Amino acid sequence: MHDGEPTSRSAKPTMADVAAKVGVSRALVSLVFRGQPGASQETRDRVFAAAEELGYRPDNAARLLARGRSRTLGVMVTVHQSFQADLVEGIYPEAERLGYDVLLSATAPSRDEAKAVEALLSHRCEALILLGPNADRTALDALGRRAVTAVVGRRLPGALVDSVHTADTKGIRQAVDHLVELGHRHIVHVDGGKEPGSADRRRAYRAAVRRHGLPDRVLPGAHDEEAGMAAARLLLTEDTLPTAVLAGNDRCAIGLMHTLGRAGLEFPRDISIVGFDDNHLSHLSHIDLTTVHQDAAGLAQAAVHAVTDRLENESRAPAEIILDPKLVVRGTTGPPTR
């Protein structure tokens, strides 16, 4: 043996090594690992025993790619959105149950959606699940022509993507009706700006308060705590506070509570607050937020089923899948005292 030549012990075992040890062809060993007919049970047992002894593991990823399949779902996520973390928790088990791996790609201030999506495609993801994308309809439609795609959290009528979302209009109407039943007549909405679903929630708020004969007022916001804090600072400069605020999502509601609470207000004695999402932070006892519950597990499962069904059934057209919301009443809402 020449110096520097690798020994058989240091080399990674191959399918050919297994075949040589058993005394059969490499093609027959390949059939065994693929679960195809053509080998007796005795031969199969000997192949698996030899593979175990040699430490050989079939490269499933390479085998699937060779067949044109990666069985990998790419998921685009925004890491600072806590509700999206709840969605990811639901995506993994359902994808794995159906025999698919999951690859995440995150957006960030220095990493836009296009870059996050291209990273997933470059890793041969068979289908994409986009959580709350901000891209316009034209761009998403174009992406849907490149790869099977599902969008979670937005309505996209006519685009070549599956759309999986909550019935936002119904959820906002439940929240407004709850506040009106408590006796509130001055309800302000801090919207989500250009965030996914915000336009539908804004329209639903206006329609709901007008249906009750009440004035509407929308403060521009976003789906984060900073927007809620900014809205609270604005409200604190005014002569009269609203008796209730309906936030665009839970993070915005928590920002409102933070700033209003530091100003000495109590919930719901001085002002009622309602969020939207029912993320895992809203359940905490010191927050105890009344909010519109979105079924994160149901949305995640629906998105996984949408893309895997289209992968297996290419004739199926993209669909819109709508899940019902449910108002969860906790400690931040009560009758107005003013």
Side-chain angles (χ1 to χ4, degrees), residues 78-87 225 251 279-281:
T78 303
V79 291
H80 65 263
Q81 286 292 358
S82 51
F83 184 70
Q84 291 189 16
D86 296 343
L87 290 170
E225 293 84 359
R251 291 184 63 201
N279 69 36
H280 58 275
L281 296 177

Side-chain angles (χ1 to χ4, degrees), residues 1-236:
M1 181 179 297
H2 299 293
D3 290 342
E5 182 179 340
T7 65
S8 59
R9 287 185 178 182
S10 63
K12 184 178 179 181
T14 66
M15 194 178 293
D17 294 330
V18 177
K21 187 169 185 64
V22 179
V24 297
S25 69
R26 183 185 180 284
L28 187 61
V29 172
S30 178
L31 285 176
V32 170
F33 283 123
R34 297 203 310 272
Q36 300 294 315
S40 67
Q41 187 58 50
E42 179 189 1
T43 300
R44 291 179 186 278
D45 292 342
R46 290 170 58 208
V47 166
F48 288 126
E52 183 68 25
E53 184 178 341
L54 292 170
Y56 172 75
R57 297 289 182 273
D59 190 344
N60 289 328
R63 175 170 58 80
L64 287 166
L65 286 173
R67 293 166 54 197
R69 297 292 305 272
S70 70
R71 293 194 74 84
T72 300
L73 307 181
V75 178
M76 186 194 79
V77 60
T78 303
V79 291
H80 65 263
Q81 286 292 358
S82 51
F83 184 70
Q84 291 189 16
D86 296 343
L87 290 170
V88 170
E89 285 186 0
I91 286 172
Y92 268 105
E94 194 62 19
E96 290 169 357
R97 190 182 71 81
L98 296 174
Y100 286 84
D101 290 328
V102 174
L103 182 65
L104 299 181
S105 185
T107 64
S110 60
R111 193 170 193 257
D112 62 19
E113 291 184 2
K115 187 174 290 186
V117 166
E118 289 303 324
L120 294 171
L121 293 174
S122 70
H123 282 85
R124 299 289 299 272
C125 292
E126 285 194 76
L128 304 176
I129 298 175
L130 310 183
L131 306 183
N134 286 305
D136 62 32
R137 181 193 169 283
T138 301
L140 292 171
D141 181 67
L143 178 61
R145 299 177 189 278
R146 295 175 62 192
V148 172
T149 302
V151 169
V152 180
R154 280 181 64 181
R155 290 189 309 113
L156 287 162
L160 197 67
V161 298
D162 289 289
S163 173
V164 182
H165 64 90
T166 300
D168 287 333
T169 298
K170 185 181 292 187
I172 292 292
R173 187 166 62 242
Q174 290 175 3
V176 171
D177 288 351
H178 166 66
L179 291 170
V180 171
E181 288 169 6
L182 288 171
H184 291 277
R185 296 294 181 267
H186 186 187
I187 305 166
V188 168
H189 176 49
V190 182
D191 76 3
K194 296 181 179 180
E195 302 281 358
S198 296
D200 288 336
R201 294 176 194 180
R202 185 167 52 245
R203 282 192 294 267
Y205 157 77
R206 285 186 165 133
V209 294
R210 289 171 182 171
R211 182 166 55 86
H212 288 288
L214 303 178
D216 65 275
R217 183 187 179 192
V218 176
L219 300 182
H223 285 171
D224 56 39
E225 293 84 359
E226 288 76 10
M229 293 164 66
R233 287 193 294 269
L234 174 62
L235 292 173
L236 288 170

